Amino acid sequence: RRTRSGPTLNFKAVLLGEGCVGKTSLVLRYMEDRFNAQHLSTLQASFVTRKVALEDGRRAQLNIWDTAGQERFHALGPIYYRGSDGALLVYDITDQDSFQKVKSWVRELRQMRGTEIALIIVGNKTDLEEHRAVAYEEALQYARTVGAQYVETSAKENEGVAELFELLTHLMLEQL
Ligand code: GDP
Ligand code: MG
């Protein structure tokens, strides 16, 4: 499942979540420190890779799979997340439906992959706090009950994004 080439560890992580929650924006912020107010789903490559230096001196290659918008057609299946070490389950904190969608992804991933996949639930768009529809505590409690981590981010304001990907790398390392 996991390939090693020399001292570099290879990890695969997938982004899941409803359309428009900010999955591609999180990747764009992390990879290029940019933000685009336009919808990005069809513009971006669906696979990006970044090398990260680990604390112990080893190097890891983080391979992140973004969707090309197929989530709109409910067309993301096991092939997409097969072999992944981690998943970022993203919702928009102003959109209750997108949080429900995360719950259905959690059920599917736990059923298909058990605990061999690290799950991080991501509440994105914290810059829109005044329109918040899902309480922080509710999301945190839910994450705990399913053995997932919970973080909040704003791809727009660049809040929590670097920390999110650091946590992801850390969790995937722990699973080795
Ligand atoms: P995806 O379909 O999940 O990949 O979502 P996108 O990354 O394409 O983003 C959908 C829309 O939400 C775009 O208009 C983005 O500019 C916007 N967006 C993404 N992240 C944020 C955020 O943190 N805050 C705000 N206010 N808008 C965001
Ligand atoms: Mg997208």
Side-chain angles (χ1 to χ4, degrees), residues 23-171:
K23 299 181 296 298
T24 303
S25 297
L26 287 166
V27 173
L28 187 65
R29 175 61 81 188
Y30 177 61
M31 300 298 289
E32 299 176 25
D33 198 14
R34 286 198 294 129
F35 179 75
N36 193 323
Q38 305 304 313
H39 203 285
L40 303 164
S41 54
T42 54
L43 302 177
Q44 300 294 315
S46 57
F47 173 86
V48 292
T49 181
R50 182 165 166 172
K51 290 201 162 56
V52 289
L54 305 175
E55 282 165 12
D56 62 7
R58 285 184 299 176
R59 282 148 54 86
Q61 180 167 312
L62 187 55
N63 303 297
I64 305 166
W65 294 68
D66 188 9
T67 75
Q70 306 98 314
E71 65 273 22
R72 274 183 204 74
F73 316 110
H74 308 286
L76 283 177
I79 283 175
Y80 177 66
Y81 54 78
R82 177 182 297 162
S84 58
D85 306 289
L88 301 180
L89 308 164
V90 187
Y91 75 97
D92 171 349
I93 64 154
T94 72
D95 178 357
Q96 177 67 233
D97 287 348
S98 70
F99 184 56
Q100 299 310 315
K101 182 66 194 171
V102 158
K103 292 183 177 179
S104 77
W105 276 121
V106 167
R107 283 191 291 271
E108 178 168 343
L109 286 168
R110 286 293 186 226
Q111 192 181 347
M112 303 293 288
R113 300 289 311 277
T115 53
E116 67 174 4
I117 186 167
L119 301 184
I120 305 180
I121 296 171
V122 184
N124 187 41
K125 308 198 186 183
T126 54
D127 55 288
L128 302 177
E129 180 63 39
E130 68 273 27
H131 302 293
R132 180 186 282 272
V134 180
Y136 179 88
E137 277 301 321
E138 181 190 350
L140 182 65
Q141 282 306 321
Y142 171 72
R144 283 185 179 149
T145 63
V146 296
Q149 300 286 320
Y150 181 61
V151 300
E152 293 199 337
T153 56
S154 169
K156 184 176 181 183
E157 300 298 333
N158 195 14
E159 282 171 9
V161 179
E163 293 83 353
L164 166 63
F165 286 95
E166 268 163 35
L167 175 64
L168 174 67
T169 306
H170 178 79
L171 290 176

